[in-house]
Amino acid sequence: MIAAKSRPTAATGPAGHPVLPALLSRPYPAVMGVLNVTPDSFSDGGQFAAPEQALAQARRMIAEGADIIDIGAESTRPYGSEPIPAEEELKRLRPVLSDVVALGIPVSIDSMKSAVVAWALDQGAAIANDVWGLQRDSGMAGLVAERGVPVIIMHNRDSADPAIDIMQDIADFFTRSLDIATKRGISPDRIVLDPGIGFGKTPEQSMTALARLGELQSFGLPLLVGASRKRFISMVTPSEPHQRLGGSIAAHLLATQNGARIIRAHDVAETVQALRVTAAIRERE
């Protein structure tokens, strides 16, 4: 069990951003639709690399009920990916990002590079999604504080270590990230925590993080979970990424029971249906 953590003291800075409270005020978790404009994503690499395909997919996810579109142009797939320079990332984003923003729902930029995030925010992106939790790019925290936007702080490791206590590692990582956030002036009401299912974890550790997600509520911050199509599902029932819908929904429903307020998913329609039906049934308890 993780020792209780005190909620970080609110830092000075711009007024609270309206996007996050709106997303968290609903009776069921918000759904973040995944839009990869990459050639090598673990799940749908290359499928939406062309701008017209990416825009069509964004429209489709919005029609299916997505509350946020999370767009990424560098593969950060959990089990190995080649880093690319910021200019290549921007080259993939330029033809499509502003058009996705124009569709009218909040867009998060999935990047670990502050230069890319800054450009995306200039184009109208509303949320920074940092898979290294403010700890990889020294300019990220200052940028987020200056712009006053919500930030998703995800737990990550360079490699999995089956010998560690993964929940303690996640807690220690978040403590370091929140210390960075406080020092740079990021208000806690703009922070979301993501345990990083599949990232720097064995499949068993990913399942442990889902099973014990409720312990992370001790930080007093909203939780996001992205278990969609992750490899741990295939360790339970052998399957390829596109065959993991059932396992993804099962993991996400359990995550919501353990406190997740945002679900990041590839299969938006099915995820929205599952979350809303679950919420409707619970209303009758």
Side-chain angles (χ1 to χ4, degrees):
M1 186 73 177
I2 300 171
K5 302 286 191 298
S6 59
R7 185 183 177 91
T9 303
T12 58
H17 198 282
V19 171
L20 197 53
L23 291 169
L24 299 175
S25 65
R26 303 169 186 182
Y28 41 79
V31 173
M32 172 184 280
V34 179
L35 183 60
N36 292 314
V37 290
T38 60
D40 56 349
S41 169
F42 87 96
S43 176
D44 53 12
Q47 191 173 350
F48 308 115
E52 61 274 13
Q53 294 171 331
L55 189 59
Q57 175 65 359
R59 288 195 181 105
R60 184 179 303 112
M61 290 192 291
I62 292 170
E64 292 174 345
D67 302 291
I68 315 163
I69 299 295
D70 186 50
I71 187 167
E74 177 179 18
S75 176
T76 52
R77 61 186 186 275
Y79 308 108
S81 57
E82 292 296 325
I84 62 172
E87 187 53 43
E88 177 61 27
E89 206 170 334
L90 290 169
K91 181 180 177 182
R92 297 173 182 178
L93 288 167
R94 286 188 185 108
V96 69
L97 180 61
S98 60
D99 288 336
V100 173
V101 169
L103 296 176
I105 72 166
V107 172
S108 62
I109 176 65
D110 180 358
S111 178
M112 65 183 81
K113 300 182 183 72
S114 60
V116 173
V117 172
W119 177 85
L121 296 177
D122 288 342
Q123 308 309 305
I127 302 168
N129 183 5
D130 183 1
V131 299
W132 275 99
L134 307 178
Q135 296 185 38
R136 183 55 59 98
D137 183 327
S138 61
M140 188 72 79
L143 171 69
V144 169
E146 177 186 352
R147 300 298 185 93
V149 295
V151 60
I152 299 164
I153 290 175
M154 195 189 85
H155 171 267
N156 212 335
R157 293 175 54 85
D158 286 311
S159 60
D161 180 354
I164 64 171
D165 177 343
I166 194 61
M167 296 308 294
Q168 190 61 56
D169 195 79
I170 292 170
D172 291 344
F173 183 98
F174 284 161
T175 298
R176 293 192 300 271
S177 292
L178 293 173
D179 183 58
I180 293 168
T182 298
K183 289 177 178 176
R184 297 311 299 265
I186 300 173
S187 177
D189 63 6
R190 295 190 207 104
I191 298 173
V192 175
L193 300 180
D194 176 356
I197 303 303
F199 288 83
K201 299 171 184 65
T202 66
E204 292 78 10
Q205 288 172 334
S206 287
M207 287 189 279
T208 295
L210 287 165
R212 295 171 59 187
L213 183 71
E215 296 176 26
L216 300 177
Q217 293 188 73
S218 62
F219 285 97
L221 297 169
L223 300 175
L224 178 153
V225 167
S228 183
R229 303 182 182 179
K230 293 294 175 66
R231 189 177 69 168
F232 76 88
I233 298 169
S234 71
M235 304 301 289
V236 179
T237 58
S239 52
E240 296 301 316
H242 68 280
Q243 299 171 321
R244 299 172 187 167
L245 174 59
S248 301
I249 289 176
H252 286 149
L253 290 178
L254 286 169
T256 63
Q257 292 176 13
N258 288 330
R261 294 298 301 146
I262 303 174
I263 298 298
R264 183 178 185 272
H266 297 83
D267 302 291
V268 169
E270 296 86 349
T271 302
V272 167
Q273 184 180 83
L275 294 175
R276 293 187 184 181
V277 169
T278 299
I281 293 171
R282 284 180 177 167
E283 287 177 359
R284 288 158 175 77
E285 291 178 344

